[in-house]
Amino acid sequence: MLYKVRAEISLKPGHSDPEGETTTRSLKELTYPVRNIGVSKMYTITLEAKSRSDAETKVDEMCKRLLANPTKDNYTIQVEQTQ
Amino acid sequence: MLYKVRAEISLKPGHSDPEGETTTRSLKELTYPVRNIGVSKMYTITLEAKSRSDAETKVDEMCKRLLANPTKDNYTIQVEQTQ
């Protein structure tokens, strides 16, 4: 079966987020009342799996092996839709 | 009041997504049964606003003016949490 899984990779607290900081500054210059911006990456993955939990396990493994950097990234996984 | 708004910037259909394609290829080489991967950018924006809908309107404007490129990007906005 095909599953659609969303994996969001964000920086661990304490790691600097230059893109977020620059975006915050730019929006403040445009007079928007922005306090803080965090930037993260979202992977929308379509994959074959035996079950919802199999899909989740596979994507968890992908995050650990390839998508997230354990020294600086957190990740969250959501199985979104079954086709 | 402070609002937390999530704005996701993704490519419009038909635009090539080299990062998604490369990630798909890498995961297939690791024998994962991946069909397709799309990569998008998520901004988590903390801002001051008068109401939920004011927060949404402001972030919609930010997307139009700075965060999204109208020729190639779609965006979705979610007001997530009120503090």
Side-chain angles (χ1 to χ4, degrees), chain A:
Chain A
M1 270 211 290
L2 277 183
Y3 288 86
K4 193 171 161 187
V5 184
R6 306 248 295 163
E8 184 174 359
I9 316 291
S10 55
L11 284 168
K12 284 184 177 168
H15 283 262
S16 87
D17 179 352
E19 191 176 352
E21 286 162 21
T22 307
T23 310
T24 305
R25 206 161 45 239
S26 302
L27 285 167
K28 278 183 175 165
E29 276 165 21
L30 293 171
T31 74
Y32 289 107
V34 171
R35 284 283 178 90
N36 180 266
I37 297 182
V39 182
S40 56
K41 191 171 278 194
M42 181 71 87
Y43 292 95
T44 306
I45 303 168
T46 309
L47 81 162
E48 283 163 59
K50 284 187 283 260
S51 65
R52 250 185 117 78
S53 72
D54 180 39
E56 198 175 335
T57 307
K58 281 197 168 84
V59 173
D60 188 74
E61 243 184 74
M62 292 176 201
C63 286
K64 286 203 172 79
R65 291 180 68 184
L66 193 79
L67 304 178
N69 177 342
T71 62
K72 66 172 187 60
D73 294 331
N74 278 335
Y75 62 90
T76 55
I77 293 169
Q78 248 183 313
V79 182
E80 258 217 342
Q81 183 189 309
T82 314
Q83 282 167 329

Side-chain angles (χ1 to χ4, degrees), chain B residues 8-18 21 36-41 63-64 68-76:
Chain B
E8 183 175 359
I9 317 291
S10 55
L11 285 168
K12 286 185 177 167
H15 283 263
S16 88
D17 178 353
E21 285 162 22
N36 181 266
I37 297 182
V39 182
S40 55
K41 191 170 277 194
C63 286
K64 286 204 172 77
N69 177 341
T71 61
K72 65 172 188 64
D73 294 332
N74 277 335
Y75 62 89
T76 56

Side-chain angles (χ1 to χ4, degrees), chain B residues 6-65:
Chain B
R6 307 247 294 163
E8 183 175 359
I9 317 291
S10 55
L11 285 168
K12 286 185 177 167
H15 283 263
S16 88
D17 178 353
E19 192 177 352
E21 285 162 22
T22 307
T23 310
T24 306
R25 207 163 43 239
S26 303
L27 286 168
K28 279 184 175 163
E29 277 165 20
L30 293 171
T31 74
Y32 289 108
V34 171
R35 284 282 177 90
N36 181 266
I37 297 182
V39 182
S40 55
K41 191 170 277 194
M42 182 71 87
Y43 291 96
T44 305
I45 303 168
T46 309
L47 82 162
E48 282 163 59
K50 283 188 282 259
S51 64
R52 251 185 114 77
S53 71
D54 180 39
E56 197 174 335
T57 307
K58 281 198 168 85
V59 173
D60 187 74
E61 242 185 75
M62 292 176 200
C63 286
K64 286 204 172 77
R65 291 180 68 183

